[in-house]
Amino acid sequence: QKVREQSSKLLEQWRLEATYQWDAKPISSARLMMELWDQIKGEDWMMPTETQFLSDWPYRLWDIDKPYRTMGGSGAQGIGYNSPAALGAALANKDKGRLTVAIVGDGDLNMAPGVLWTAAHHRIPILYIVHNNRSYHQEVMMILRMASRRQRVHNKNVYVGTLIDDPAPDYAKIAQGYGLFAQGPVTDPKDLALAIRRGIEAVKRGEPALIDVVSDGR
């Protein structure tokens, strides 16, 4: 009973925290995860991607009610792990009729974009949502941490080699070039629900789909 009460209080606290940047641009990770949850909670879904890059918002806000809802992680923060690993899970889910939803980083997808062609060629239904913060943000955080430790408060070099910008890749166009149904870049949080709904409709038709969402750092 105590655990149940604590769990309920935590959930309410996290839901409140999710509202703080509800209308923020770039789109907040919490808003993205809540909009996605609203669309998939009535489906037999699976999320085969890691969540620490999303501040673990799915684990905090979603109802993880079955063991196959998630797949764990790479164990070594493997660069480029999520995009291809998710496609393997989607292939396994295909005959089961499960909706596979993969939230991948732009840096992760940059490591192996050819996985999109594999999805299209083999007609593997999967919804890729690109959490596009236009950087290798894990590296940004590490550099900021080390700069703080060494008292380099005004470190102007933090974004050298860590930004994925100027020009910003258009992942929707890249996905379309590989043969996927794709939308974006989505920059307004009010457009999320419709974009996600269209993506799910494409996956239910048996197609791979991708939505490029311009997002906050984490």
Side-chain angles (χ1 to χ4, degrees), residues 15-167:
R15 284 175 173 170
L16 178 61
E17 290 178 10
T19 67
Y20 291 159
Q21 294 183 305
W22 193 250
D23 295 317
K25 298 178 184 178
I27 296 169
S28 73
S29 301
R31 173 77 183 258
L32 174 57
M33 292 304 101
M34 282 301 287
E35 294 281 4
L36 178 57
W37 173 245
D38 282 344
Q39 300 289 334
I40 68 171
K41 61 186 178 183
E43 306 285 345
D44 186 20
W45 59 272
M46 180 194 184
M47 178 192 61
T49 43
E50 297 172 308
T51 65
Q52 66 269 31
F53 304 111
L54 304 164
S55 296
D56 287 324
W57 279 113
Y59 285 127
R60 291 199 268 172
L61 298 173
W62 297 6
D63 183 14
I64 313 294
D65 61 344
K66 290 182 171 61
Y68 61 77
R69 295 299 192 205
T70 66
M71 197 173 70
S74 64
Q77 305 299 302
I79 295 174
Y81 164 82
N82 278 318
S83 301
L87 189 61
L91 178 60
N93 287 333
K94 184 176 181 179
D95 293 339
K96 297 177 177 64
R98 290 177 187 155
L99 174 64
T100 306
V101 180
I103 306 101
V104 302
D106 51 331
D108 181 275
L109 186 59
N110 272 340
M111 298 296 169
V115 72
L116 300 178
W117 178 86
T118 303
H121 179 72
H122 293 286
R123 294 170 179 79
I124 303 173
I126 182 173
L127 177 59
Y128 279 112
I129 295 182
V130 182
H131 182 263
N132 181 5
N133 53 32
R134 293 180 173 165
S135 67
Y136 297 104
H137 196 72
Q138 183 77 359
E139 298 303 314
V140 172
M141 294 172 67
M142 177 60 72
I143 293 170
L144 286 172
R145 187 180 299 116
M146 296 306 296
S148 176
R149 182 180 297 176
R150 295 168 183 172
Q151 298 182 351
R152 296 173 181 172
V153 180
H154 303 291
N155 185 1
K156 298 180 181 179
N157 298 325
V158 64
Y159 293 111
V160 174
T162 60
L163 288 185
I164 308 174
D165 206 351
D166 192 25

Side-chain angles (χ1 to χ4, degrees), residues 168-189:
D170 188 328
Y171 295 99
K173 285 185 178 179
I174 292 170
Q176 289 166 356
Y178 279 118
L180 275 71
F181 172 86
Q183 302 172 95
V186 179
T187 58
D188 192 326

